[in-house]
Every structure is written in C-alpha cells, then in structure tokens.
Amino acid sequence: MARAFLIVMDSVGCGGAPDAAEFGDAGANTLGHIAAECAAGRAEEGRSGPLRLPNLDVLGLGAAIRLASGAEAPGLEAVPLGHWGAATEVSRGKDTPSGHWELAGVPVPWDWTYFPDAVPAFPEDLVAEVCRLAGVSGILGNCHASGTEIIDRLGAEHLRTGWPICYTSADSVFQIAAHEEVFGLERLVALCRDLAPRLHAMKVGRAIARPFLGEPGSFKRTGNRRDFAIAPPAPTLLDWVQGAGRVTHAVGKIGDIFSHRGISHLHKGKDDIALFDHLDRLGAEAEEGSLTFANFVEFDTNFGHRRDVAGYARQLEWFDARVGAFLARLRPGDLAVFTADHGNDPTFRGTEHTRERVPVVCHGVGSGSFGLRGFVDVGASVAAHLGVAAEGPGRSFL
C-alpha cells in the first residue's frame, strides 16, 4: 500500500503571489532572490558560489520558481524529472497556520486578529489576564519585536523582576519568552496553554511559549518552544487519513499547528538536524498506507526573520543534501511532496513573512508540470495517492 510524505520547508516561497501588493510584499521572492545573491557572490559566509540544490532542482524546483514568478534562479536550471508546479494561497494571511491548514485542504474562513505595531500593543484586559495567570504584577515588552532581539534587550530585566516578556509580530500571535530555569519551563508552558482559549476566542492564531537560557549578554532560545494554535475550522488531510484507519506521523511543529488533531505519532527534535533524522527513519520504517507530515522551521526562524541570506542558502544546501539520502530510502509507489507555507525573503525590507506562491515538487509519481494550482490541491493530491476520500475544495494534480 502506498505511503505519502508531505514535507514543508517553512518560508521557502518562490514569489509571484498575485495579491502580494495587498500585503506590502510586491516583488518578494525568497528562493529567486537567494539564488540571485549567491550567483552575484553576495552570500559567501560559510558557503560559496551559485546556490546548489541538485536534488530538489531535478524534481522541478528551479522550474517552479520560473513558473510562479517569471524570475530566473541562477544555479537552479535542471531539466525537471519530477512532477512539479507552484501553488497560490487564498487564505487572508501569510502565517504558519494559514499556510499549513490550506495545504492540508482547509482554507481559513475568517480574518485573523493582529495586534497593532504600537506600544503598548496589547489591550489592558489581556495584559491583566496574563498577570493573573502568571501570578505577577506586570509584563515586559508589550510590543512588536524579533524574538532574539527582545530577549537580548529585556532578558536581564526579566531575571530581575520575574515578569514574562510578551511580544507579537506581523503574524496573528501572542508570544511569551521566559527563562527556563528562573521562570520555569513548565510554568511558561502552562501560562501559554491557559491563555490560549482567550486568544483563540479573539481569533488570534497562536499562543507561543518561547523559553530561553543563559546570562545577560549570552541568552539563547532553546528547543522547548510550544505553540498553542487555534483548531482548524474543518477536518484536514490528517483527519481524513486517520479517519480512514491509517497511521499519521507528525514531525516538528505539525502537532502544534493542527492542535494535535488527526495525529497518531508525534516526532519532535531540538533542531532541523534531529527532525531530518526522524524523517529518514520514517522513510525506512513508516507503515504501509501511512502519511508523514513534516515541518522544517529553521529556514524561517534562524535565517528568514534575521534577513541572513548566506545562512538561508547554507540551510537550503544542507537540506538538499539530506533529501538525496531520504529519497533513496523510499519504496516503490511512495510519494514525497516538498513545498512551503509562505515566504520570508531575506533580501526584503523588515523582518516578517512575505506573501508568495510556493513551489510544489514531487518524487515518485512520474514527471511533468501540473502548472499553477491552489494550496488546497496539495492535500487533495496526497489523499488521492493514499486512496483516501478528500473533503473540501481541493483537486488532485496527480
């Protein structure tokens, strides 16, 4: 019985979104601009030369960039041997839940709540609830911020006062950073868990626990992040597959993104290296007829938001090298789909996600282009490959 592996390269967009200007993102192209910077010799830290992604490119990655945006991607010029195309999102967001839910067949039917880019960013009654739940008399932050910047700036005051650091971004999120040892990891996770229902009622997408360790001048976030996401509004690909009596595996953030619905087994790791180790193991061991749904977040968190072009390129090249060994583990009849949930162009202004189309390249189902499709068609196609009935508006491209 066929297996399927749906692999999301978090933020690895390819430009061309027809509504990008409505989000302030006209011209953004994560992959296209990284390739151009590499070819121009402007991404030489820890690597050198044109962007080299031979395994993904031969599946159709470079062709998908050209299809999505019309942009050339120097170094990504292989003749595609995989089944490939690009996908356009309809949900009114450029965030993690919107992208993943829609890839899994369920567009977001509401408008998310976003906090204003002002100080203070949060309403007084919400701040009061955080204080009540945490047992403190105040919070730090109360603003839009980068997660690494704000712990550098406010970490020492957090250690002195015991107040949690609360911040947001251009996404629909409420993030709380706290020291794992001084504030307590379990206390931080409980705070976010208990606050999440109130945020979800406001249509705020996620409460995120952002633990860190260290001393002033050397704070570092740990791998114990927890996301408490609002539940998808309808059954997703994970529910369809599990409801058909099949096994589902969630690698990385997938469990958090889908509120742990439709998931048989959860596989977490401290970084993308550990997550790819899980994917390799599942490539060899996952049950017949199963779905493995994986997210690799470090493109986004470590390099996109930090606008680190060379780092993003290094991560892409590391990932591509592991793709070759992973594909060699698959069995005849298996499907592997590599895609993304949004963009985060490291050459673009600001530090936030960018509205882009995403590449969709497939191994194991022949060759040829399926053109421009919707995010929802990815979920419908995976379901079709597994012989599982799909719900929702998606149409299979297989």
Side-chain angles (χ1 to χ4, degrees), residues 69-89:
S69 62
E72 292 299 320
L76 304 180
E77 296 148 346
V79 176
L81 299 180
H83 198 42
W84 63 274
T88 306
E89 185 175 12

Side-chain angles (χ1 to χ4, degrees), residues 183-221:
F183 189 88
L185 177 59
E186 291 184 5
R187 182 184 175 199
L188 172 61
V189 171
L191 172 58
C192 291
R193 182 192 64 229
D194 295 344
L195 184 65
R198 179 169 185 145
L199 293 168
H200 296 166
M202 298 167 61
K203 291 296 185 285
V204 175
R206 288 175 290 164
I208 306 178
R210 291 285 201 173
F212 63 93
L213 287 170
E215 303 292 335
S218 60
F219 292 123
K220 186 174 183 179
R221 295 196 297 196

Side-chain angles (χ1 to χ4, degrees), residues 2-9 55-56 59-60 81-85 276 279 282-283 290-294 319 322-339 359-366 370 378 381-382 385-386 397-398:
R3 305 181 301 170
F5 299 82
L6 176 53
I7 300 155
V8 178
M9 303 176 292
N55 293 299
L56 290 170
L59 292 180
L81 299 180
H83 198 42
W84 63 274
F276 217 119
L279 186 62
L282 290 166
S290 64
L291 167 66
T292 296
F293 196 167
F319 185 86
R322 299 227 31 188
V323 165
F326 164 70
L327 294 179
R329 295 174 180 270
L330 299 187
R331 305 167 189 167
D334 286 346
L335 166 68
V337 181
F338 297 89
T339 187
V360 184
V361 298
C362 308
H363 164 89
V365 287
F370 51 80
V378 174
S381 301
V382 173
H385 179 78
L386 293 174
F397 49 67
L398 299 183

Side-chain angles (χ1 to χ4, degrees), residues 15-213:
D19 56 0
E22 297 175 29
F23 293 80
D25 294 331
N29 189 332
T30 300
L31 278 168
H33 288 156
I34 292 171
E37 290 293 292
C38 289
R42 293 191 291 265
E44 297 289 298
E45 297 86 357
R47 59 165 309 282
S48 185
L51 187 63
R52 298 178 181 87
L53 307 175
N55 293 299
L56 290 170
D57 193 23
V58 79
L59 292 180
L61 187 65
I65 299 167
R66 292 187 288 276
L67 171 67
S69 62
E72 292 299 320
L76 304 180
E77 296 148 346
V79 176
L81 299 180
H83 198 42
W84 63 274
T88 306
E89 185 175 12
V90 299
S91 300
R92 296 297 300 170
K94 50 180 180 178
D95 54 274
T96 295
S98 295
H100 281 77
W101 294 356
E102 196 168 324
L103 288 170
V106 181
V108 179
W110 56 67
D111 290 331
W112 295 108
T113 293
Y114 302 95
F115 295 109
D117 191 358
V119 179
F122 307 125
E124 291 182 3
D125 60 335
L126 183 59
V127 172
E129 181 65 2
V130 174
C131 292
R132 185 187 71 82
L133 291 171
V136 296
S137 57
I139 67 170
L140 302 174
N142 203 344
C143 61
H144 280 235
S146 157
T148 51
E149 177 274 331
I150 201 167
I151 62 172
D152 287 342
R153 176 163 54 89
L154 296 177
E157 190 174 356
H158 164 71
L159 294 181
R160 180 177 61 82
T161 62
W163 292 2
I165 302 170
C166 301
Y167 63 102
T168 188
S169 70
D171 289 343
S172 181
V173 295
F174 190 99
Q175 304 188 77
I176 306 178
H179 198 281
E180 280 196 8
E181 296 174 347
V182 177
F183 189 88
L185 177 59
E186 291 184 5
R187 182 184 175 199
L188 172 61
V189 171
L191 172 58
C192 291
R193 182 192 64 229
D194 295 344
L195 184 65
R198 179 169 185 145
L199 293 168
H200 296 166
M202 298 167 61
K203 291 296 185 285
V204 175
R206 288 175 290 164
I208 306 178
R210 291 285 201 173
F212 63 93
L213 287 170

Side-chain angles (χ1 to χ4, degrees), residues 11 13-17 19-34 37 94 170 303-310 312 343-356:
S11 86
C14 57
D19 56 0
E22 297 175 29
F23 293 80
D25 294 331
N29 189 332
T30 300
L31 278 168
H33 288 156
I34 292 171
E37 290 293 292
K94 50 180 180 178
F303 308 110
H305 286 300
R306 299 180 188 181
R307 296 301 187 247
D308 180 352
V309 178
Y312 208 129
N344 200 343
D345 186 343
T347 73
F348 209 65
R349 61 181 175 272
T351 61
E352 302 298 344
H353 295 159
T354 43
R355 179 76 163 186
E356 302 180 37

